[in-house]
Amino acid sequence: MATKKAKSSPKAKSSSKSKPAEVAKAPAKDAALPETTSGGGPVVLVPAEHAASWRGTSAPKGAKVPAGWTWGKSGGPTTDYDRALEPNDLKETARGSLGWLDVAGGQALILGDEQTTVWLPTDDGGVVVRGPDVSAADPVAVRASVPASGWKHYLDGLTLKDGRVFLFDSAFPGAPKPEQIKADDGVAVGKPGPGTYTVSFAQSGTTDFIRLSRGGKASAKAAKPKPAPAKKAAAPASDGPAWKTRRVAHAALPKTPNLDGKTGLSLSRQGPGGVILGRERGAPAKARYVRVAADGTRTFISQPGELMYADFSADGRTILAATLDQKLIDFPAGGDTTQATPRLTCKARVWSIQPLSPTRAVVAVDAEVMLIGLDGTWRVLDGVRVAPIQVPMIDVLGGGRWVLVGRDPKIHLFAIVGDMLRLVQTWVQTQGGMVARDGRPFLYAKGQLDMDEVLNLDEVYPTIA
């Protein structure tokens, strides 16, 4: 089912063309910039005058809601958060995506993925800066990172009457005042001023930049933005194998546990006995890992900035973890990092680690995917170099026979043959690709909600050895 498109209107008059951002002078004492993030989903940028109309995962006002329904269950209404997962005119970016939605007659920008998100004021509006290495506490570095060229036009006619924008986790309801918005990661308030703005975006390394540039007087009635022409998404894997699939309607797709909403943690994982492991929201360099018992008791198991990623072992007895200084460690599931045993030192930062069995795990290390042996002395069994994957996640399919690695900008499907990794398929996310839901592989195309479930990967690739 295609994403609905809003009507466009004539371009707002502009006194300036997409010029490089002219960043305002540093505030006194270089005060920290407004910052927010999300628990895994998109961040919304909404004009202050429309913020109270944003409903997050709550049902829209006046919608018919089945008895006992909560977000995540089938049969309920489409929420604003659901819409944020499929926004209009989606553009892939270095760190996620950029889209927009109509909100109460105005427009909100949808910034995909969980990333540190900072508002940087400029002389003609402001720049949203997003990425794993962005620090709101270092405004000098943030200002210096804004590129002078490479900007791409996105839309015209974003109108602000109040003159402020609120940025926060799109899963939470908005409110007229930022202090009334109960998003776990807070609200970043930008103050570009009343007016009509042009939106453009750029990227530099692992950082996204979304710029609001003032381009005319604010009108009495908010104009619909005129998006840049969108390319039609191609079907995934058109040059790949003869997939054996069946079509699954969006409403019938498996629902993943909403652990983030339950615990207020990011990268949440559930282990034996209902124990949940997750990281405090925010930049990894500041966050701690937390263990949540079945009764809700919380225990910190690491110091701030100590761990990049952690997960339960396949048997649930230990925690496998990666430190920010590129080491792989493990420690008892009921303990903490003071009981850790160093196992391996990698050549680059470890983004994620996923156990396959009590004796094996797959690790994503910068531009390499590695198969690790965990029995006795940890060792690298095999490694495959790929194009750098930014914040890759790992999903295991087929009982550990298949591994799906990646998020931006590519997705890679590996087969495990003995002690070897075999890269069998790669997708560019701007076209579509494969996603794992409840351990089941699905093919998808951008802009479509229904998916094609792959019935048997071993039949698709019968000759791998």
Side-chain angles (χ1 to χ4, degrees), residues 44-393:
V44 61
L45 180 154
V46 61
E49 59 266 27
H50 303 305
S53 297
W54 183 263
R55 299 280 295 169
T57 56
S58 299
K61 290 184 178 179
K64 293 182 179 180
V65 182
W69 178 85
T70 57
W71 185 86
K73 293 183 178 180
S74 60
T78 299
T79 67
D80 283 340
Y81 182 75
D82 294 323
R83 296 199 301 140
L85 298 177
E86 292 286 341
N88 298 320
D89 303 301
L90 187 70
K91 299 293 182 183
E92 298 295 327
T93 62
R95 302 310 311 171
S97 59
L98 171 64
W100 68 273
L101 292 173
D102 183 277
V103 180
Q107 288 77 43
L109 297 181
I110 305 299
L111 315 177
D113 213 346
E114 174 192 5
Q115 293 294 333
T116 299
T117 302
V118 169
W119 173 265
L120 176 69
T122 65
D123 290 338
D124 67 343
V127 178
V128 179
V129 185
R130 312 184 76 219
D133 301 316
V134 175
S135 173
D138 190 357
V140 174
V142 174
R143 283 192 296 273
S145 70
V146 177
S149 60
W151 291 89
K152 298 179 181 178
H153 173 262
Y154 180 62
L155 59 80
D156 295 302
L158 179 65
T159 301
L160 308 180
K161 295 180 180 179
D162 177 284
R164 296 177 298 163
V165 292
F166 299 164
L167 297 96
F168 55 93
D169 188 337
S170 61
F172 292 84
K177 298 180 180 180
E179 60 270 20
Q180 297 171 334
I181 300 174
K182 305 304 180 183
D184 287 346
D185 296 293
V187 182
V189 179
K191 300 178 181 179
T196 301
Y197 289 81
T198 295
V199 179
S200 56
F201 65 101
Q203 64 187 54
S204 177
T206 60
T207 306
D208 272 354
F209 303 87
I210 298 93
R211 182 176 62 192
L212 275 64
S213 302
R214 192 178 301 108
K217 297 181 180 180
S219 61
K221 183 177 180 180
K224 296 286 185 182
K226 182 179 180 180
K231 295 181 179 179
K232 185 178 180 180
S238 58
D239 58 347
W243 300 98
K244 297 185 178 182
T245 64
R246 68 182 180 94
R247 177 54 58 98
V248 180
H250 181 255
L253 291 171
K255 301 294 189 296
T256 55
N258 186 24
L259 297 180
D260 292 345
K262 178 179 178 181
T263 64
L265 300 173
S266 65
L267 301 176
S268 297
R269 309 290 287 189
Q270 189 155 2
V275 177
I276 293 173
L277 181 69
R279 193 178 73 195
E280 290 179 312
R281 294 180 178 182
K286 301 177 184 178
R288 296 172 291 183
Y289 264 83
V290 183
R291 183 175 54 246
V292 184
D295 63 1
T297 304
R298 294 182 173 226
T299 306
F300 290 113
I301 63 171
S302 70
Q303 298 299 314
E306 190 175 12
L307 298 183
M308 180 69 188
Y309 193 84
D311 199 355
F312 290 102
S313 63
D315 59 13
R317 296 179 180 179
T318 58
I319 292 174
L320 313 181
T323 66
L324 264 71
D325 59 355
Q326 304 170 193
K327 292 182 174 61
L328 293 178
I329 63 175
D330 67 343
F331 52 91
D336 57 34
T337 54
T338 63
Q339 302 164 277
T341 301
R343 298 293 186 175
L344 275 175
T345 299
C346 299
K347 296 180 181 179
R349 177 175 288 186
V350 178
W351 288 110
S352 55
I353 178 170
Q354 175 70 48
L356 300 176
S357 71
T359 61
R360 297 224 181 144
V362 172
V363 177
V365 183
D366 191 33
E368 187 172 16
V369 179
M370 298 190 305
L371 180 64
I372 303 290
L374 307 178
D375 48 334
T377 302
W378 287 22
R379 64 199 185 282
V380 178
L381 301 176
D382 195 16
V384 177
R385 300 283 300 180
V386 295
I389 309 170
Q390 297 153 358
V391 196
M393 301 305 293

